[in-house]
Amino acid sequence: HTSQRSSPHYCRHGGGSGCRSRYISCFSSVSRPSSSSSSLKFSSVPPHNLDSVDYLAEQLSQRKFKNIVVVVGAGASVNAGIPDFRTPGTGLYDQLQEYSLPRPEAIFDLNFFKMNPKPFLRLARSIWPGRNNESPKPTVTHSFLRVLQEEQILRRIYTQNIDGLESISGIDDDKLVECHGHFRSASCISCGKSMDANRYQEIIFRTTKTGRSIDDNGDDGEDDNNNNIPTCTGCRSFVKPDIVFFGEALPMRFQSLILEDVERCDLLVVIGSSLLVDPVASIPTWVSVDCPRVLLNLEVVGDFNNKSGKRTDIILQGDCDESVRRLCQSVGWESKIDQLYQKTTNGNN
């Protein structure tokens, strides 16, 4: 990709068809952040001392870290009833076989959406955030993110998720970068004209005369007329939520914040991510080698597998909520996350 802009141009790549590698970032004239720059300033915590969860908990309880950056993936929302993407058998990509897609990633492929938007819209209906009491609710992991914010040690959250649960849990807008977009706005895929999100939601959840939700198989007859597929009032092209599909540019907010955030980051936390979709997957490699990193995930992923010893990494392997709870028990935050969790599950921030 090329660009005339002087700032980085980041596109979403997931290693599907059309990508030369699973790990691709698109830049223009600015290179990746250097991990050895002498201008970088980090926590005064000596990294060689950060060799245990207990020591990490001690530093967190004493607020030794001031600029924590968190990368959040689909694993953080699994306990909200939203499947992750790649877990064999239960992951979203395995469940997508019913949609007769040419490949699982096609559900987030713009060219495929132009031909057949129904699979994506069916998925959107199943995970649309905050619609009613049956919609997914924030998890214990999201409450942990909220505690970091309330402790005033959170610099930024970079979430790969489109479920909006960080926002619903009470994370401030200025602390959040929704790297792959959200459902709070929608735009025409051709001319870019916006559509009110409430109107979009009304159309895709439209029911038949019998009160049944219109499904994608056309069994109710009415769906043959595409009456639950939002179209632009200007050019009549399809409209989709402002979700970043593969090959599309990430939001400008990502581009404007990421360089300074990785420079100032004094603790990098990765929660529930496979670290396969760039550029977000590369964030852990962009922080200084002096910056300690923590992984909470079912599997060891990315360069957390690197045994070179150049980085200080702590790995809490297992279910995200369970790992968060163990860490919060050590820090003394368990009652805080429990209170916040109860509030958000009851619909209060």
Side-chain angles (χ1 to χ4, degrees):
H1 297 271
T2 59
S3 173
Q4 298 300 314
R5 290 182 290 184
S6 58
S7 58
H9 179 66
Y10 302 91
C11 298
R12 180 181 181 182
H13 291 274
S17 174
C19 289
R20 285 176 288 182
S21 168
R22 289 185 304 171
Y23 304 100
I24 303 176
S25 291
C26 298
F27 295 86
S28 56
S29 60
V30 177
S31 60
R32 297 187 182 195
S34 170
S35 61
S36 60
S37 171
S38 60
S39 65
L40 305 188
K41 297 181 179 179
F42 301 95
S43 169
S44 59
V45 180
H48 61 274
N49 288 336
L50 192 68
D51 56 4
S52 71
V53 174
D54 288 341
Y55 190 82
L56 170 64
E58 177 186 339
Q59 299 305 306
L60 286 170
S61 65
Q62 296 178 8
R63 298 185 182 179
K64 294 294 186 180
F65 302 109
K66 305 297 184 184
N67 289 284
I68 298 176
V69 173
V70 186
V71 174
V72 178
S77 297
V78 167
N79 289 328
I82 302 173
D84 65 9
F85 289 92
R86 294 176 172 83
T87 298
T90 61
L92 178 63
Y93 284 163
D94 272 4
Q95 297 181 27
L96 291 177
Q97 295 178 10
E98 64 182 281
Y99 297 136
S100 300
L101 300 171
R103 62 188 187 285
E105 294 85 355
I107 202 164
F108 295 115
D109 183 282
L110 192 58
N111 289 327
F112 183 82
F113 182 86
K114 292 175 181 178
M115 295 185 295
N116 182 12
K118 293 180 182 180
F120 172 79
L121 293 177
R122 188 174 179 183
L123 171 66
R125 287 197 294 272
S126 70
I127 66 172
W128 195 283
R131 183 170 179 265
N132 52 42
N133 289 334
E134 302 302 318
S135 300
K137 302 279 194 310
T139 66
V140 169
T141 296
H142 295 100
S143 297
F144 169 67
L145 301 177
R146 175 77 178 270
V147 169
L148 294 179
Q149 174 179 278
E150 295 194 350
E151 292 294 314
Q152 299 183 341
I153 56 178
L154 175 67
R155 181 173 183 86
R156 207 85 62 199
I157 296 169
Y158 286 84
T159 180
Q160 297 173 286
N161 298 336
I162 59 175
D163 52 43
L165 293 182
E166 294 85 9
S167 181
I168 293 174
S169 71
I171 298 299
D172 294 340
D173 289 347
D174 69 317
K175 296 294 184 183
L176 181 62
V177 178
E178 294 169 300
C179 304
H180 296 161
H182 52 75
F183 286 96
R184 295 188 301 277
S185 59
S187 305
C188 174
I189 61 173
S190 295
C191 70
K193 184 177 181 178
S194 62
M195 174 182 285
D196 178 75
N198 291 330
R199 174 58 180 158
Y200 191 96
Q201 184 180 161
E202 176 187 329
I203 294 172
I204 71 167
F205 283 96
R206 185 177 289 158
T207 58
T208 68
K209 294 177 182 178
T210 62
R212 294 174 58 190
S213 294
I214 299 174
D215 209 344
D216 297 319
N217 55 20
D219 288 345
D220 293 296
E222 294 182 28
D223 196 38
D224 292 337
N225 296 321
N226 293 335
N227 71 338
N228 72 326
I229 300 177
T231 55
C232 179
T233 57
C235 69
R236 309 308 301 173
S237 294
F238 294 137
V239 177
K240 73 173 181 65
D242 289 329
I243 305 299
V244 180
F245 279 22
F246 289 118
E248 290 189 295
L250 267 63
M252 284 301 298
R253 178 168 172 76
F254 178 94
Q255 304 185 37
S256 64
L257 293 174
I258 186 61
L259 295 179
E260 185 172 359
D261 281 353
V262 295
E263 285 185 354
R264 294 185 177 275
C265 175
D266 55 11
L267 177 67
L268 189 283
V269 181
V270 177
I271 304 179
S273 176
S274 60
L275 295 181
L276 289 175
V277 180
D278 263 331
V280 180
S282 291
I283 292 177
T285 70
W286 293 345
V287 298
S288 166
V289 293
D290 297 325
C291 178
R293 310 184 308 175
V294 182
L295 174 69
L296 295 83
N297 203 49
L298 281 175
E299 299 177 343
V300 181
V301 294
D303 75 334
F304 284 90
N305 277 305
N306 191 333
K307 306 299 184 183
S308 66
K310 294 181 180 179
R311 288 188 178 275
T312 301
D313 292 341
I314 290 180
I315 298 173
L316 286 76
Q317 197 166 350
D319 175 85
C320 291
D321 282 2
E322 293 177 2
S323 296
V324 160
R325 188 170 291 282
R326 290 200 305 271
L327 177 59
C328 288
Q329 286 173 343
S330 298
V331 180
W333 288 347
E334 189 173 21
S335 63
K336 292 183 179 181
I337 64 168
D338 284 340
Q339 290 172 9
L340 288 170
Y341 179 66
Q342 290 299 321
K343 285 182 180 180
T344 54
T345 53
N346 291 330
N348 301 314
N349 285 346

